[in-house]
Amino acid sequence: MAQQVKVGDVNGIPIISLAAFLNASNKQAVAEAMLDSFKTIGFVYLVDHGVPKEKIDGMFDWSKKFFALPAETKMLAPHPPSGTHHRGYSPPGKEKVVQHIYDEKELAKIRAKAPDAKESFEVGREEDAAMTNIWLPDGVFPGFKEACLDFFWVCREVELTILRALSLGLHLEEGFLEKFHTAPDNQLRLLHYPSVRVDDLERDEIARIGAHSDFGSITLLMQDNVGGLEVENPHKPGEFTPATPVEGAIVVNAGDFLMRWSNDMIKSTIHRVRAPPNASKEGMTPERYSIPYFCSADYSRTVDCLPGTFTEKNPKKYDPISSGQYIMSRLAATY
């Protein structure tokens, strides 16, 4: 009996089982279902992805312990002032996610109006000389560094599986996209959204994460059961629906670079984090934890529109560009 590929749906976002891809019993069906979801809404829930629940739960435990440390301890691993070096700890209100705004004065105005009420810690691969990791001093929080790096590489394996599936969905050789993602120039981010007043969020006096799209190829998201992530309807701008947490699932979305690379065949969909519906107590939102893993093509690689995404009637919309050139121009506007 063939394993079921699409096993559910959350507000129009398919829940897809990776089992038939991982055991090679029906790779093409999984690949086509995943690509179809990326073409229609740009998001998908993946279950049976091969990452044990205990591994994900363990990383959330480390995250909660880290953010519970005193502020002065966390600031021993400070995120640099530059938005192009995304490593280390950022306190609440420091970072402001914006969409396609590059003027420094305009950015300052937006940040002052509604700072993002979240704190984060960001990690990359250890051997990245261009963007070195920033850790707490040895002995301050034993085991945290090792846990972060272990989880970085666990997520890396899921990334490669998704890239292989997308390649098959695009009717390319299975390793096609993987060949452009060898470094890996990726970023693991631990996020904590403290409890805040619902009224302040609704009046836009503070934000969790405002409406934005991601920059790179794909993003993996592990979220707790609190909720708050919302995805815009690509066909009705301004209409958002909750991407409610699904037990054991990893949420995956396409980024702007992959949309450009696919000649806009794939959608990089706007999303945001708001107050979860019906979850407030005495006018306060519950605190929320999430762990996104941002995946980018090798910064040194220049890419052109993917084979099969353009025709004489639908010509290439974009010139070739390097991943690094594209990502760095976008990162600079987020901090």
Side-chain angles (χ1 to χ4, degrees):
M1 182 177 173
Q3 289 176 299
Q4 194 173 357
V5 173
K6 184 178 177 182
V7 296
D9 179 282
V10 178
N11 293 324
I13 304 174
I15 304 172
I16 293 175
S17 169
L18 269 181
F21 191 90
L22 291 173
N23 66 24
S25 64
N26 201 346
K27 283 187 169 186
Q28 196 62 40
V30 176
E32 289 175 3
M34 193 180 302
L35 180 64
D36 183 63
S37 185
F38 269 25
K39 288 163 70 174
T40 53
I41 194 167
F43 271 76
V44 65
Y45 290 85
L46 293 183
V47 295
D48 304 319
H49 41 67
V51 182
K53 182 178 184 297
E54 306 77 52
K55 179 69 72 173
I56 295 174
D57 290 347
M59 195 64 243
F60 272 108
D61 287 342
W62 276 107
S63 178
K64 290 173 183 177
K65 290 174 186 174
F66 171 80
F67 289 119
L69 294 172
E72 58 270 23
T73 302
K74 291 180 285 190
M75 286 304 296
L76 294 173
H79 187 300
S82 167
T84 58
H85 192 124
H86 272 272
R87 299 290 185 265
Y89 172 70
S90 299
K94 176 67 175 174
E95 184 185 40
K96 179 67 181 176
V97 173
V98 294
Q99 184 73 4
H100 300 304
I101 297 173
Y102 303 102
D103 180 78
E104 288 188 14
K105 290 182 180 177
E106 187 66 21
L107 282 168
K109 196 185 302 180
I110 291 170
R111 289 179 178 125
K113 179 188 174 188
D116 284 353
K118 67 181 191 311
E119 55 182 337
S120 64
F121 186 83
E122 295 168 297
V123 177
R125 55 189 170 91
E126 273 288 77
E127 66 276 15
D128 187 352
M131 201 180 300
T132 53
N133 280 323
I134 298 170
W135 301 107
L136 294 170
D138 289 347
V140 170
F141 190 34
F144 178 65
K145 173 181 176 180
E146 292 75 14
C148 288
L149 291 173
D150 175 66
F151 200 72
F152 178 96
W153 292 106
V154 167
C155 292
R156 166 67 169 166
E157 289 305 309
V158 180
E159 173 204 8
L160 293 178
T161 299
I162 295 167
L163 292 174
R164 292 165 190 152
L166 289 173
S167 294
L168 287 184
L170 289 160
H171 299 285
L172 303 170
E173 61 177 282
E174 186 173 326
F176 187 92
L177 291 174
E178 185 180 346
K179 288 188 293 188
F180 291 86
H181 297 76
T182 62
D185 288 324
N186 298 342
Q187 174 192 340
L188 176 71
R189 174 182 285 186
L190 310 180
L191 275 168
H192 173 224
Y193 302 83
S195 179
V196 295
R197 291 192 60 81
V198 175
D199 289 350
D200 291 342
L201 280 174
E202 291 176 346
R203 290 195 299 263
D204 289 327
E205 292 180 5
I206 57 174
R208 283 201 147 172
I209 293 184
H212 68 285
S213 55
D214 294 341
F215 309 151
S217 298
I218 57 173
T219 302
L220 319 183
L221 176 71
M222 282 71 40
Q223 53 179 339
D224 63 14
N225 60 6
V226 169
L229 175 65
E230 297 180 349
V231 176
E232 187 176 52
N233 184 335
H235 310 291
K236 295 181 181 178
E239 179 182 292
F240 286 82
T241 55
T244 310
V246 171
E247 181 69 28
I250 296 176
V251 179
V252 183
N253 64 281
D256 295 344
F257 189 76
L258 183 58
M259 183 170 81
R260 176 188 173 117
W261 199 358
S262 72
N263 206 33
D264 291 350
M265 175 189 288
I266 287 170
K267 286 182 168 56
S268 176
T269 306
I270 300 287
H271 50 286
R272 67 188 185 187
V273 178
R274 306 280 281 182
N278 308 316
S280 63
K281 293 181 180 179
E282 299 179 357
M284 300 293 290
T285 66
E287 61 181 345
R288 176 180 186 259
Y289 294 87
S290 68
I291 306 175
Y293 182 77
F294 301 100
C295 309
S296 297
D298 299 345
Y299 285 179
S300 60
R301 294 296 295 266
T302 296
V303 305
D304 202 353
C305 291
L306 290 166
T309 63
F310 55 91
T311 62
E312 191 174 331
K313 292 183 179 178
N314 179 36
K316 295 179 185 180
K317 299 175 184 176
Y318 305 103
D319 294 327
I321 191 171
S322 77
S323 172
Q325 179 187 352
Y326 184 82
I327 298 296
M328 288 301 177
S329 68
R330 296 290 304 279
L331 280 176
T334 66
Y335 204 74

